[in-house]
Amino acid sequence: MDSFALIIFGITSNLAQTKLIPALYDIAEKDLLPENTVVLGIARSPKEKEQFREEIKKAIKNSRKTKEDVLGKLINSFYYLDGKFDNPEFYNHLDDALSQLQHQGFVCKNRIFYLATYPNLYGEIFKNLQDKNLNNQENGWVRLMIEKPIGEDLKSAQKLNTLLLQYFTEDQIYRIDHYLAKENLQNILTFRFGNGIFEHLMNKDHIDHIQITVAEDKGIGTRGGYYDQAGALKDVGQNHVLQILALTTMDAPKEFSNKAITQERLKVIESLKAFPENIVFGQYEGYLEEGNVSPNSKTNTYFALKTEINNDRFRHVPIYIRAGKNLARNVAEVAIVFKVPENRILKDKTHELVPNILFYRIQPNEGIILKILVKKPGNKIATEPTYMQFCYKQLSTDLSDAYEKVVLDAIGGDQTFFNDAKEVEAQWKFIDAYNSSSHIPFSYKPQSWGPEEANLIIKGDKRMWLEPSIDFCKL
Ligand code: BG6
């Protein structure tokens, strides 16, 4: 991989400190960071280099066990520049700093700009980078990494994408959805398309319904300012949840390439049918007392909805989704519930019509689990349900953090597990149909599975939410 300069706008932001910088350490520890790579952190307050490096050290040490030699070497590649992002003069300093670093032996002709700033500053930043020729690719490559939210609805996302494309080409833009870099989410593709025996079951002839749960056991913490404007549907529904759904249900890509995979994900998202009457919003008790939350806030911290994919493969297969904060457990999981065959010969030997269920456990205890019927040990013919499990812990106890993959892919120029403009817009089009700001959320108890009313979404179809098992892959 090429050496490069990583220029972080907003180095003191929570994301940079807790995700990006520790990911750089992980990459360095695996000896995957190209030599002569430099990290230039930018924030507003003036700071000496040594103080800055101490802070970076602390951020890394707070998040993982470190090896002194790796940390020492990495820290020496961190530099700091203070300035206001909307001040054109600052970009002269940035230009000078990059030239100096280049002189010192670092490679600054290849550049990744990582923006951990408010999106309303993007326009100013891009214009200034362009005016100083800093996004010019004549001598090397230039890439841009940006975090969600990419807009707050379809219209604002389109506006932002138009702005991005004024200064960068699509192949330079890395829109991060870190769920796409999660090990077991990527594994869904391998499981489905690498094996020959499951894929022909993944359609409406065999599947009764699909459930997706993305539950977090913590509240919003210190992120009230952002979260109260967004809510659960926009915070995780528009992005992470839809990507889980897309990888679970997309058609086989023609090849394992960025273009082919992104195209198939997009096709699914564009085919989603929204049922605006089939959504329930919740807000956990105590949310209104959280910092930076409006006292009368109607923001949702939970949602449950039903959708369908309008294509020949999945038409009329219900997909039930629920996600939220302060729920009973921290768990992300897909459950594909298969139809019970009408001619099951052992029907009279089971006390209930147990369906086969395929679980993708995305986190924690990552794995793929299949619920099956087996013969109960003994002299009689009787059946009992049990589980066949593939657990990641059997292969490795040390799964990479998603951000490590996000950064490595950006360094390597691989956009397969990032979103392009069309995909983000298709996601918003679906989410906008639910008009979340016009709903009054039902209240729910912290550490519960959400408001009672959420059961109506699924009970009306004579089905029930499956409680994610605490036993999966607990090796
Ligand atoms: C972020 C959301 O995108 O994803 C957060 O903004 C959420 O609200 C987080 O907590 C969940 O990510 P993970 O990797 O902890 O499941």
Side-chain angles (χ1 to χ4, degrees):
M1 278 190 293
D2 301 332
S3 304
F4 66 103
L6 174 61
I7 301 139
I8 306 176
F9 283 79
I11 184 89
T12 49
S13 71
N14 190 46
L15 262 177
Q17 298 276 318
T18 59
K19 296 287 183 190
L20 184 66
I21 297 167
L24 287 169
Y25 174 83
D26 292 340
I27 295 170
E29 196 182 276
K30 291 185 180 145
D31 207 13
L32 294 174
L33 202 60
E35 283 297 311
N36 302 324
T37 285
V38 64
V39 182
L40 181 60
I42 308 172
R44 289 168 72 110
S45 22
K47 212 175 281 183
E48 290 303 322
K49 184 172 81 188
E50 292 316 317
Q51 182 197 344
F52 170 65
R53 288 185 174 177
E54 272 314 306
E55 289 170 8
I56 296 293
K57 227 181 198 174
K58 215 163 132 193
I60 298 173
K61 282 190 154 181
N62 279 345
S63 62
R64 63 246 303 113
K65 271 198 188 140
T66 54
K67 292 185 182 154
E68 276 309 307
D69 54 333
V70 178
L71 188 58
K73 187 170 172 212
L74 179 69
I75 288 295
N76 285 337
S77 60
F78 272 76
Y79 288 79
Y80 181 75
L81 192 65
D82 64 88
K84 289 193 182 136
F85 304 157
D86 54 356
N87 178 3
E89 183 54 29
F90 161 72
Y91 294 82
N92 290 330
H93 299 315
L94 177 57
D95 198 5
D96 290 347
L98 288 170
S99 308
Q100 267 181 34
L101 290 168
Q102 179 83 29
H103 257 85
Q104 282 173 239
F106 292 111
V107 175
C108 297
K109 59 185 174 97
N110 300 320
R111 295 172 187 174
I112 298 181
F113 293 105
Y114 175 93
L115 267 50
T117 63
Y118 289 113
N120 60 4
L121 289 172
Y122 288 179
E124 204 71 45
I125 296 175
F126 299 155
K127 183 175 178 311
N128 281 299
L129 290 177
Q130 173 134 311
D131 287 351
K132 297 284 173 307
N133 229 357
L134 291 165
N135 63 343
N136 174 319
Q137 298 205 92
E138 264 167 30
N139 301 314
W141 48 256
V142 174
R143 296 179 189 139
L144 175 76
M145 292 174 78
I146 51 171
E147 295 280 354
K148 55 176 268 284
I150 311 288
E152 55 198 37
D153 54 19
L154 175 60
K155 218 166 141 203
S156 53
Q158 283 170 330
K159 207 168 146 202
L160 180 53
N161 282 332
T162 307
L163 175 77
L164 289 164
L165 292 167
Q166 247 175 284
Y167 297 95
F168 299 91
T169 51
E170 192 60 55
D171 62 0
Q172 290 179 283
I173 307 170
Y174 290 71
R175 296 178 191 78
I176 302 171
D177 180 331
H178 75 285
Y179 264 59
L180 277 174
K182 289 198 185 258
E183 189 67 61
N184 209 22
L185 213 57
Q186 297 192 353
N187 186 35
I188 293 177
L189 295 186
T190 311
F191 176 79
R192 292 184 54 200
F193 306 126
N195 295 298
I197 57 176
F198 303 107
E199 199 45 22
H200 64 277
L201 298 173
M202 302 292 180
N203 56 54
K204 61 178 189 281
D205 295 337
H206 301 283
I207 296 178
D208 178 75
H209 74 280
I210 298 175
Q211 297 190 21
I212 300 176
T213 301
V214 177
E216 294 179 79
D217 59 1
K218 301 241 167 12
I220 58 162
T222 53
R223 295 170 72 221
Y226 151 75
Y227 197 91
D228 204 38
Q229 302 299 313
L233 185 65
K234 293 186 177 184
D235 180 46
V236 298
Q238 181 265 348
N239 36 76
H240 309 330
V241 170
L242 290 186
Q243 288 303 330
I244 295 175
L245 196 164
L247 294 182
T248 302
T249 55
M250 68 186 231
D251 282 345
K254 284 200 182 70
E255 56 189 15
F256 204 100
S257 70
N258 169 32
K259 221 169 159 193
I261 292 177
T262 306
Q263 191 183 3
E264 293 306 332
R265 291 200 310 253
L266 176 65
K267 276 206 289 202
V268 169
I269 295 166
E270 285 182 337
S271 315
L272 285 177
K273 252 174 102 171
F275 299 101
E277 67 291 355
N278 260 321
I279 189 160
V280 165
F281 290 103
Q283 186 185 80
Y284 62 81
E285 286 173 14
Y287 174 75
L288 298 180
E289 282 83 61
E290 301 277 23
N292 294 323
V293 163
S294 141
N296 306 315
S297 175
K298 304 278 179 283
T299 297
N300 63 84
T301 61
Y302 171 98
F303 69 90
L305 65 83
K306 173 179 159 178
T307 178
E308 282 178 16
I309 301 170
N310 193 14
N311 64 16
D312 286 346
R313 183 178 192 166
F314 283 107
R315 189 162 295 118
H316 303 316
V317 173
I319 302 173
Y320 305 97
I321 298 174
R322 58 182 173 163
K325 298 269 187 201
N326 232 336
L327 296 178
R329 247 198 339 275
N330 210 28
V331 62
E333 180 172 287
V334 180
I336 301 172
V337 181
F338 289 91
K339 291 181 175 170
V340 178
E342 281 180 13
N343 61 352
R344 188 185 261 180
I345 55 162
L346 293 169
K347 230 194 278 188
D348 53 340
K349 306 287 178 203
T350 65
H351 50 284
E352 50 178 338
L353 287 178
V354 180
N356 293 121
I357 306 177
L358 179 66
F359 297 94
Y360 300 138
R361 169 59 66 84
I362 293 151
Q363 63 187 32
N365 299 335
E366 292 82 349
I368 295 183
I369 299 108
L370 184 61
K371 184 172 184 181
I372 51 168
L373 278 187
V374 294
K375 180 183 168 300
K376 218 173 182 166
N379 299 329
K380 286 191 191 149
I381 295 290
T383 60
E384 90 175 9
T386 188
Y387 298 97
M388 284 168 72
Q389 308 198 107
F390 153 70
C391 302
Y392 263 98
K393 282 186 197 158
Q394 293 162 334
L395 294 186
S396 160
T397 48
D398 181 25
L399 289 189
S400 307
D401 184 76
Y403 262 79
E404 183 184 324
K405 283 197 213 154
V406 164
V407 176
L408 277 175
D409 283 353
I411 304 175
D414 184 350
Q415 291 183 302
T416 310
F417 295 107
F418 293 83
N419 295 142
D420 70 7
K422 275 193 190 158
E423 196 173 13
V424 168
E425 291 172 16
Q427 291 175 175
W428 277 121
K429 193 167 173 215
F430 175 70
I431 295 298
D432 281 1
Y434 289 97
N435 205 358
S436 54
S437 57
S438 69
H439 287 257
I440 302 199
F442 295 101
S443 176
Y444 64 93
K445 293 237 174 300
Q447 321 300 226
S448 70
W449 282 108
E452 278 294 310
E453 289 77 2
N455 289 325
L456 299 176
I457 296 277
I458 190 160
K459 268 193 178 159
D461 294 344
K462 300 204 169 38
R463 298 187 177 98
M464 53 193 265
W465 293 112
L466 298 167
E467 184 161 335
S469 165
I470 48 169
D471 293 326
F472 288 170
C473 291
K474 227 172 128 191
L475 300 179

